[in-house]
């Protein structure tokens, strides 16, 4: 009777329950009953409305088996669920999915590693299924948290630990694939999820032994390596996550990287940080790269008070990022990068000088090491600025050159520069050197079509500022920057080092015909270049490198910018430099005087061969041969040796050792050159900066230019008002006499301004200024005097006011006001 009752009760049970029960064998080792599984699958496909009940019943059995530790039946239940999930694709599968995810969650919550791996495998299979219509109510918060926890597994058994971590990474990958493509269900990109997913992946990526092996585009590891190595799997998952990021959620994916690197102190050393951001830059879409750069800059601002090595690590990461993204950077992002870096450069200099002042009395090892760490930060900033700038397109690079130059603290532009008021002279010099070094890197390889594009006026003026000539290293940097911009045919390497070149044709110098724009540039700015070279040669702290760079500057100007007029100007400049060394009004050391003479010899030897005038070449060669025998210290090969015997004095009467203006004029005049200006000594122009400069002597370093036609003394006024007679007209017609008078007048005026006492010159200038002021006051009084008024005007005489009225009929009105 009892057996019949059981059969009757079994027959009354729902069919889906009987089909589910039949797939479980008596012994779980026998595995899933395939015949009954086929019946269950057919039933589910035929009656899809029963799927939710089948799923609920399977979930009930699985939960019971998990609690009772009957893991064999758990495996069978999950296998059945997987097969049903793969076989059924209909609207009714959604309730079944809910039961499925509930069972997967049960397995992940268990403490048994095998069940966690089993649940992860089932979830990955589910993630690969493309549903017809997404379920927006479904959330994966639990799975994100649980898979992230599995990624940090610390099981004592290394094999189990690796197995669980791999399962966690694969689970995260499944969540990403299931949710990331659906724009309407973007919960995976929310910060609370990214703060769990990204650190979990980075934690496993830290186990990569060879960092540089996978910093480029995604690799394709073999299946076995992918399954066995959590670091490789985590990196591939990280790349996939970043590759799917869009404009709106890019920042949410990148910010957790900074938190992880900060928490684990991975900025020093920063090998892993560099590898992470290389992976990021290669994985994201190119148009979003500026988001990453902005995030790095923002994090640098946040950590600006951290140790120097941490800041240097962040800056080096920025360098690697901009190296990849430089070609695609547009708009304000470029200026933001440079502006932020320049601000941090200033902060670093402040910190370095503050530490130096605080330890002025007791120099300790820790302080010196901290200063050296700040130098590391500064060098990293300079490298980043230079590398980023040198990789920009030319149209952007010219703007960046102007931007950096505007930040250099030079005389007269302090309002635009990095404010040096609190830095002092040492801090200002440090800022100048570092900014010029970065500018040197930015200008490297820059090829402008015309020199006016490379050296516009707003850039050239501060670059050639006298305040940048107060230090030997600053002058070297300015000259090297000029070389980068002037040398458009890569001739600089052939001119390296100052020497007497036997045959210039062996250098195979490349040059083009001087364009009209370059001729116009030299007419407008040539005097600035000559003046900078002239004053640079007169500095007492010049060393061999300074003379080498000055020679290269003259040679490159000859190659790139010299027409016949410029050639004459350059010869005048060379003769003026020779006179500086011979006359020595600046009291230069003997080494500097001989160095200037050697510079002039090397340059005129180069110039004579470039213009190929035989008589000029012959004169230059003769002087050089004479020097090699009688005064070898006037040649660069001798004077710049380590041990060179310097003369005690220079004899002005030894004409054979000097380049003579009349000989040069004769040689060039026969070849069609206009040599009239060779007889006019070169005098550098005076600028407003010279009058404000802090340099040691303006009168000594800059010759005063005087307008000869507007005489400044009484004798000139008498000559201008002399009576016009037949004899005076006859003298005026005589051109030779007029030229001699002009030369003599020029000589007297120049001699007076060079040798007269300063008080006398100042008194004459003051008299002339007072006269001009009186004339101007008279003009203003006549033009600004108010018109007469019928009401009268007030005048004050002897302290008493008097009113004078004018009748209306006596007032004079303009014609347009009368009708």
């Amino acid at each position: 009777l009892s057996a019949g009752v059981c059969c009757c009760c079994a027959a009354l049970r729902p069919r889906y329950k009987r089909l589910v029960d039949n797939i479980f064998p008596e012994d779980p080792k026998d595995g899933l009953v395939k015949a009954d599984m086929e019946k269950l699958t057919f039933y589910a496909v035929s009656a899809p409305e029963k799927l939710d009940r089948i799923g609920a019943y399977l979930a009930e059995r699985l939960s019971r088996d998990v609690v009772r530790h009957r893991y064999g039946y758990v495996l069978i239940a999950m296998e059945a669920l997987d097969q049903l999930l793969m076989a059924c694709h209909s609207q009714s599968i959604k309730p079944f999915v809910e039961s499925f995810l509930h069972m997967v969650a049960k397995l992940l919550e268990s403490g048994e590693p095998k069940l966690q791996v089993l649940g992860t495998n089932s979830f990955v299979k589910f993630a690969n299924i493309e549903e017809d219509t997404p379920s927006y109510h479904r959330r994966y918060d639990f799975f994100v948290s649980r898979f992230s926890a599995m990624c940090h597994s610390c099981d004592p058994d290394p094999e189990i630990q690796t197995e669980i971590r791999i399962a966690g990474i694969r689970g995260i990958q499944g969540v990403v694939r299931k949710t990331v493509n659906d724009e309407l269900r973007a919960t995976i990109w929310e910060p609370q999820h990214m703060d769990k997913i990204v650190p979990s992946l980075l934690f496993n990526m830290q186990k990569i032994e060879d960092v540089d092996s996978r910093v480029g585009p995604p690799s394709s590891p073999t299946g076995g390596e992918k399954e066995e190595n959590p670091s490789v799997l985590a990196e591939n998952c990280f790349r996939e996550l970043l590759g799917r990021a869009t404009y709106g959620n890019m920042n949410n994916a990148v910010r957790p990287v900074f938190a992880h690197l900060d928490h684990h102190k991975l900025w020093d050393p920063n090998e892993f940080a560099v590898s992470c951001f290389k992976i990021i830059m290669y994985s994201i879409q190119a148009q979003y790269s500026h988001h990453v750069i902005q995030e790095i800059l923002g994090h640098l601002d946040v950590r600006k008070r951290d140790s120097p090595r941490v800041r240097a690590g962040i800056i080096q990461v920025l360098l690697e990022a901009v190296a990849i993204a430089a070609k695609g950077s547009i708009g304000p992002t470029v200026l933001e990068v440079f502006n932020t870096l320049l601000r941090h450069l200033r902060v670093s200099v402040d910190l370095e000088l503050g530490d130096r002042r605080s330890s002025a009395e007791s120099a300790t090892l820790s302080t010196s090491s901290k200063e050296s760490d700040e130098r590391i930060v500064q060098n990293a900033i300079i490298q980043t600025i230079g590398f980023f700038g040198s990789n920009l397109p030319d149209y952007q690079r010219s703007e960046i050159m102007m931007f950096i130059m505007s930040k250099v603290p030079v005389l007269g532009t302090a309002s635009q520069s990095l404010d040096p008021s609190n830095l002092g002279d040492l801090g200002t010099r440090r800022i100048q050197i570092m900014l010029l070094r970065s500018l040197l890197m930015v200008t490297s390889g820059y090829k402008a079509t015309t020199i006016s594009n490379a050296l516009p006026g707003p850039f050239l003026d501060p670059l050639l500022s006298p305040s940048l000539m107060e230090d030997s290293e600053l002058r070297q940097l300015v000259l090297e920057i000029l070389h980068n911009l002037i040398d458009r045919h890569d001739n600089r390497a052939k001119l390296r080092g100052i020497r007497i070149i036997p045959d210039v044709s062996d250098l195979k110098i490349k040059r083009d015909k001087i364009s009209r724009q370059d001729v116009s540039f030299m007419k407008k700015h040539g005097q600035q270049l000559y003046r900078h070279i002239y004053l640079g040669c007169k500095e007492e702290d010049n060393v061999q490198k300074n003379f080498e760079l000055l020679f290269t500057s003259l040679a490159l100007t000859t190659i790139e910018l010299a027409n016949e007029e410029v050639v004459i100007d350059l010869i005048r400049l060379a003769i003026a430099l020779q006179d500086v060394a011979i006359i020595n009004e600046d009291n230069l050391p003997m080494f500097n005087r001989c160095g200037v003479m050697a510079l002039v010899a090397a340059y005129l030897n180069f110039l004579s061969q470039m213009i190929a005038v035989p008589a000029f070449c012959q004169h230059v060669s003769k002087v050089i041969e004479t020097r090699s025998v009688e005064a070898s210290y006037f040649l660069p090969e001798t004077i710049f040796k380590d041990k060179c015997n310097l003369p005690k004095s220079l004899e002005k009467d030894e004409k054979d050792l000097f380049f003579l203006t009349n000989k040069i004029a004769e040689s060039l005049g026969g070849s069609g050159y206009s040599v009239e200006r060779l007889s006019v000594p070169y005098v550098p122009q005076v600028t407003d900066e010279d009058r404000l400069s802090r340099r040691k002597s303006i009168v000594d370093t800059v010759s005063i230019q005087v307008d000869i036609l507007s005489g400044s003394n009484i004798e000139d006024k008498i000559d201008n008002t002399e009576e016009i007679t037949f004899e005076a007209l006859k003298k005026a017609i005589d051109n030779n006499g007029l030229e001699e008078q002009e030369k003599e007048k020029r000589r007297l005026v120049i001699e007076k301004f060079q040798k007269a006492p300063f008080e006398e010159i100042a008194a004459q200038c003051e008299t002339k200024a007072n006269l001009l002021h009186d004339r101007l006051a008279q003009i203003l009084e006549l033009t600004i005097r108010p018109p007469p008024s019928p009401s009268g005007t007030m005048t004050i005489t002897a302290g008493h006011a008097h009113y004078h009225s004018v009748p209306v009929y006596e007032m004079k009105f303009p014609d347009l006001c009368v009708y």
Side-chain angles (χ1 to χ4, degrees), residues 494-554:
K494 304 171 185 176
L495 302 169
R496 198 178 305 278
I498 180 172
R499 63 193 187 281
I500 302 297
I501 303 174
D503 190 354
V504 174
S505 60
D506 293 340
L507 301 180
K508 297 181 180 179
I509 291 175
K510 300 177 183 178
R511 64 185 306 190
D512 294 331
K513 185 178 179 180
I514 308 301
S515 65
R516 184 178 302 175
Q517 293 86 348
D518 292 345
V519 172
S520 176
F521 172 84
M522 289 304 293
K523 288 182 178 179
K524 186 175 181 180
H525 300 290
Q527 292 299 324
Q528 284 181 274
L529 295 176
Y530 304 152
R531 175 179 177 276
H532 185 78
I533 294 173
Y534 180 83
L535 298 181
C537 291
K538 297 172 67 175
E539 296 293 336
E540 294 184 4
D541 59 344
N542 280 338
V543 294
Q544 179 179 350
K545 185 176 181 180
N546 291 87
F547 288 110
E548 291 177 352
L549 294 174
L550 288 166
F551 168 75
T552 306
S553 300
L554 290 168

Side-chain angles (χ1 to χ4, degrees), residues 28 157 165 227 259 299 367 406 621 635-636:
D157 189 344
R165 288 186 179 182
E227 292 296 331
H299 194 68
T367 303
S406 68
S621 300
L635 298 177

Side-chain angles (χ1 to χ4, degrees), residues 71-361:
Y71 299 137
Y73 289 118
V74 172
L75 296 175
I76 293 172
M78 290 306 300
E79 185 178 354
L81 282 169
D82 292 343
Q83 291 189 21
L84 288 174
L85 198 62
M86 300 297 293
C88 303
H89 297 281
S90 66
Q91 294 292 333
S92 302
I93 198 175
K94 290 180 172 44
F96 175 75
V97 169
E98 297 302 325
S99 301
F100 169 79
L101 294 178
H102 177 69
M103 287 184 282
V104 172
K106 285 287 185 182
L107 295 179
L108 295 177
E109 287 177 339
S110 67
E112 185 65 31
K114 292 183 180 180
L115 297 185
Q116 294 178 5
V117 174
L118 177 64
T120 302
N121 293 336
S122 295
F123 183 84
V124 171
K125 293 177 183 178
F126 162 71
N128 292 328
I129 298 175
E130 295 184 4
E131 300 183 49
D132 297 333
T133 57
S135 296
Y136 299 117
H137 66 282
R138 190 185 303 155
R139 298 185 64 87
Y140 298 92
D141 299 8
F142 167 80
F143 295 100
V144 171
S145 300
R146 188 58 194 158
F147 289 139
S148 299
M150 292 170 63
C151 290
H152 293 82
S153 173
C154 297
D155 194 279
D157 189 344
E159 293 184 1
I160 295 177
Q161 180 188 101
T162 302
E163 189 177 7
I164 295 176
R165 288 186 179 182
I166 289 177
I169 297 169
R170 293 180 66 241
I172 289 177
Q173 195 171 28
V175 173
V176 171
R177 290 177 179 175
K178 194 65 178 175
T179 60
V180 80
N181 288 329
D182 194 345
E183 296 180 357
L184 298 178
R185 189 179 61 219
T187 57
I188 192 66
W189 295 108
E190 294 177 358
Q192 63 267 27
H193 297 319
M194 286 291 107
D195 290 343
K196 298 174 183 177
I197 292 174
V198 174
S200 301
L201 299 177
L202 296 177
F203 176 76
N204 286 276
M205 287 168 57
Q206 283 179 251
K207 305 301 179 182
I208 300 178
E209 295 180 0
D210 186 6
V211 175
D212 295 330
S213 63
R214 282 179 290 275
V215 294
S219 57
S220 55
T222 60
E225 181 184 1
K226 186 176 179 180
E227 292 296 331
E228 295 177 1
N229 194 337
S231 58
V232 176
L233 187 61
E235 182 182 327
N236 291 334
C237 182
F238 189 51
R239 290 182 186 273
E240 183 178 351
L241 175 68
L242 294 170
R244 297 173 184 268
T246 59
Y247 180 85
N249 47 47
M250 175 60 64
N251 293 341
N252 290 340
V254 174
R255 286 171 184 167
V257 178
F258 294 105
H260 180 82
L261 297 175
D262 290 342
H263 180 70
H264 292 275
K265 300 180 180 179
L266 296 174
W267 294 113
D268 178 32
N270 66 340
E271 287 81 3
F272 179 71
V274 170
S275 68
C276 282
F277 278 92
K278 280 188 175 182
I279 291 171
I280 293 173
M281 298 303 295
Y282 280 120
S283 300
I284 62 175
Q285 301 179 44
Q287 64 268 29
Y288 303 146
S289 59
H290 64 280
H291 279 288
V292 181
I293 294 175
Q294 288 176 338
E295 289 294 325
I296 300 175
L297 292 173
H299 194 68
L300 182 60
D301 289 335
V302 172
R303 304 298 298 272
K304 63 183 178 181
R305 294 299 177 185
D306 281 19
S307 66
R309 291 189 175 273
V310 170
R311 286 182 282 123
I314 299 175
I315 295 169
Q316 288 171 0
V317 167
L318 178 64
L319 172 62
E320 298 294 339
V322 299
I324 299 171
K327 294 296 183 182
S329 297
I330 57 174
T333 304
V334 176
L335 288 179
E336 183 182 357
V337 171
F338 286 98
N339 199 27
T340 302
L341 290 174
L342 292 177
R343 187 171 65 250
H344 283 277
L345 183 62
R346 166 63 192 270
V347 171
S348 178
V349 173
D350 281 340
L351 294 174
E352 179 186 2
L353 296 179
D355 294 336
R356 182 174 298 180
R357 284 193 293 267
S358 63
S359 62
E361 297 181 357

